[in-house]
Amino acid sequence: MSDPHPTPEFPEKDYIRPNHDWACGRTCQGGSCSVGPSPRGKCRATYECAPRLETKPGESKGHWMCTRAKSAGGTCDKGPFPDGTCCNAVPKCQPRLTLRGIRKRVTLVTILASLIALYIGIGGSRRDDFINPGPISSVHASDHFTKRHAAMSGDQSSCAACHASAGKDGGQWHVQAVEAFKQGLAPHDWTRKGPLEASPMDQSCLACHQGMDFHQANMPSQFACHACHKEHVTDGAMPEVDSGLCISCHGDATLMAKAREQAKGAHSTPAEDSGSVAPPRQRPATGYTEVINSFHTDHPEFRQLRDLEPGQVRDTNPLKFNHAYHLKDGGLPFPPPSTEQLDCRHCHERDARGEYQRPITYSQHCATCHPLKFDPGTSDETHLGLLLPHGDPYYVRAFVRSLPIQYAEYARTQEGITQAEALKKYVDSKVANLEGSYQQSGEFLERAVFFADHESKLPDGRQTPFNGCATCHEVTDPKDTNGTPGIAKPATPERWMTLGSFNHDLHSKGFKCADCHNVTVSEKTSDLNLPSIKRCVDCHSPKGGIDHRCTSCHTYHHAKGSLFGDPVKAAPAK
């Protein structure tokens, strides 16, 4: 079906294109010429048309015809002059810049001004101030850091400590700019998920932070230090790592799958070096690759509890201890004349920072209630008398075998007996009374000292008048005839949760120890008595309102490095 209204012909030659830099000066009056200005802004107006010579059959000269377009008014009445010149001359105008032309000039001027400013700023004496994008954290702005960097590289510019190009001549910056686009500044990297990958600048960080390689050995790739540690934000302490950066990796199932695959040839599951006497733990064969989105939703149970199998002895400390007995009915009473009741604080003392508990020692925490008395004849309710030494089985055996000497020294220092005859009489009396109370030889006394248990019995069933080393320690028979019984050395862990930090002082406000540690029913040394992660989530979650960021508990570098230690002879990355 034909269109009854055909599309009119488009006047292409009369169309003023918007991509021109110049427009006719009479455009705003609605009378722009069809010729328009030149690309350089010169008016090209001459006549309204270019007359055409028509010659009819039989004519020799012909006549000129007007060619003015219909859009401009059509053929004029006067027509061309006899010499073929249009009778309607177009007056000249002053072409003006279009918006496109103005924008182009502004852009060129801006670029030129920027290049000049960069050249002056980069090449000037205050280049560091000019290129600084923001304040430097207090550590990196310190005089100590500047001096350290100068000692390492000989460069006084503190910027060059991290940015290798900062120490180069301004003429080399275009080369550095090209390299920067290959190391994390390329446009396709701006939309990539996860932190930026490692760059040569990270070598500058490691010059001071030795051994602080990023994270674990099974990571598919190493990430840039500045991806998590944000500089040029504040002149105080560097901002803490945002949990979102941790989740960008640990919450990515694809990345964690790659980490598990990487771990197949990366780990031999060595024991964790915790720096404490806690039993060593084996690293998971696939590394720590569980997908975690937040502490309060899908964080796995603490490994010390998660790895606990039914019936498995988790705390391998050979020392014998019963928490429930010591804390029954609010705690055992101290020996007279004290009236205090024993509780957790009497044995567990925090370090100076209030974070962790100090090690338990016999002399400070046990001796008050458990003095090593072996001779009832030199002790009573108010006087401890002669006591066995504690700590070294060789010293204990030597003490028992030299009792006459020990009694003589005790008589001089405690009883005030100094005359030789009186000393001999005192010693003979004490030795005779001791043998009489045991009704056994000195050899039996020595065995009783080592092997008597908490019921004052020897392994063969014989009764003794006191508790021996076996009350608290694992004691084994000597390996040879004249050997000393073996006593298993206590291994009381200073820390169990070695992969996370903790502060007891902060948690003691409003809480009791038993609120988290279920020690009131713990009767075995093997009981771990650590709180479950569910107990922690009660507070450390959006519902509980307490900080639950990843960095609240975790650090993330797999090796400890020196921070501003002795300078290493290494220049920043080139």
Side-chain angles (χ1 to χ4, degrees), residues 16 24 26 42 80 189 195 204-205 351 389 402 549 562:
I16 302 177
C24 179
R26 292 194 294 273
K42 301 295 183 180
D189 283 331
S204 301
C205 301
D351 57 22
S402 63
R549 295 171 297 172
S562 63

Side-chain angles (χ1 to χ4, degrees), residues 258-498:
K258 291 181 180 179
R260 285 191 290 274
E261 185 68 22
Q262 181 84 5
K264 290 182 178 179
H267 294 301
S268 57
T269 63
E272 292 285 352
D273 181 13
S274 63
S276 71
V277 293
R281 295 177 300 165
Q282 295 293 317
R283 180 186 179 85
T286 59
Y288 300 97
T289 56
E290 295 192 42
V291 176
I292 304 173
N293 291 288
S294 68
F295 178 69
H296 59 281
T297 57
D298 56 2
H299 191 291
E301 180 60 271
F302 301 132
R303 275 203 62 211
Q304 295 289 11
L305 298 177
R306 184 178 53 187
D307 295 348
L308 187 61
E309 298 178 1
Q312 178 183 358
V313 177
R314 197 65 190 94
D315 188 343
T316 58
N317 183 12
L319 191 70
K320 303 171 186 177
F321 189 80
N322 185 323
H323 274 95
Y325 175 79
H326 286 78
L327 296 173
K328 66 178 181 179
D329 297 327
L332 295 175
F334 278 88
S338 174
T339 58
E340 279 193 275
Q341 296 294 116
L342 185 66
D343 59 24
C344 300
R345 62 185 172 86
H346 286 102
C347 297
H348 296 284
E349 300 177 0
R350 297 186 190 112
D351 57 22
R353 299 178 61 179
E355 294 183 352
Y356 304 111
Q357 308 294 354
R358 290 173 175 168
I360 302 294
T361 63
Y362 168 79
S363 59
Q364 187 173 357
H365 304 103
C366 306
T368 301
C369 298
H370 301 280
L372 301 182
K373 296 188 293 185
F374 69 100
D375 183 1
T378 59
S379 64
D380 53 36
E381 291 185 356
T382 60
H383 193 264
L384 295 178
L386 188 63
L387 303 178
L388 290 168
H390 181 272
D392 189 337
Y394 291 94
Y395 186 29
V396 174
R397 185 183 67 172
F399 182 93
V400 174
R401 293 184 178 184
S402 63
L403 275 179
I405 298 175
Q406 306 301 332
Y407 276 123
E409 181 65 21
Y410 180 81
R412 281 192 293 267
T413 59
Q414 302 296 326
E415 303 289 352
I417 302 174
T418 58
Q419 293 182 354
E421 185 177 350
L423 277 174
K424 184 177 184 305
K425 184 178 179 180
Y426 179 87
V427 170
D428 291 343
S429 172
K430 291 297 181 184
V431 171
N433 289 337
L434 185 64
E435 291 180 350
S437 65
Y438 283 94
Q439 299 179 354
Q440 296 286 344
S441 64
E443 182 181 349
F444 174 78
L445 172 62
E446 182 176 321
R447 185 166 181 79
V449 164
F450 284 103
F451 289 96
D453 60 15
H454 68 285
E455 295 181 344
S456 302
K457 290 183 179 180
L458 293 177
D460 59 9
R462 288 182 291 178
Q463 192 74 32
T464 64
F466 65 90
N467 298 338
C469 300
T471 300
C472 300
H473 300 279
E474 290 185 0
V475 185
T476 56
D477 288 319
K479 294 183 179 180
D480 51 60
T481 303
N482 197 35
T484 302
I487 297 181
K489 186 176 180 180
T492 304
E494 297 174 15
R495 284 186 62 189
W496 282 102
M497 314 288 276
T498 57

Side-chain angles (χ1 to χ4, degrees), residues 20 98 224-225 228 230 422 467 474-475 553:
H20 290 176
T98 62
C225 302
C228 297
K230 303 296 183 181
N467 298 338
E474 290 185 0
V475 185
C553 298

Side-chain angles (χ1 to χ4, degrees), residues 164-211:
S165 56
K168 295 187 177 183
D169 184 88
Q172 297 293 320
W173 276 49
H174 66 284
V175 178
Q176 299 297 320
V178 174
E179 291 297 323
F181 275 98
K182 299 178 181 179
Q183 298 290 341
L185 292 183
H188 66 273
D189 283 331
W190 298 349
T191 57
R192 185 176 59 83
K193 292 184 179 180
L196 296 174
E197 293 185 359
S199 67
M201 189 173 71
D202 294 314
Q203 298 303 317
S204 301
C205 301
L206 296 178
C208 291
H209 302 273
Q210 301 168 34

Side-chain angles (χ1 to χ4, degrees), residues 135-155:
I136 304 293
S137 62
S138 55
V139 174
H140 292 153
S142 65
D143 292 337
H144 179 71
F145 177 80
T146 302
K147 292 177 181 178
R148 174 178 169 80
H149 166 60
M152 292 168 54
S153 62
D155 194 330

Side-chain angles (χ1 to χ4, degrees), residues 73-130:
T75 304
C76 62
D77 296 333
K78 297 181 179 180
F81 291 119
D83 60 357
T85 302
C86 178
C87 65
N88 295 320
V90 178
K92 295 285 186 179
C93 72
Q94 179 60 49
R96 62 178 183 83
L97 279 170
T98 62
L99 180 59
R100 173 188 173 88
I102 296 173
R103 186 170 62 242
K104 180 185 293 185
R105 290 195 175 188
V106 170
T107 302
L108 292 174
V109 171
T110 302
I111 292 175
L112 181 60
S114 299
L115 292 175
I116 294 174
L118 284 174
Y119 181 78
I120 296 174
I122 293 173
S125 59
R126 302 194 64 180
R127 179 173 67 181
D128 288 356
D129 294 334
F130 177 78

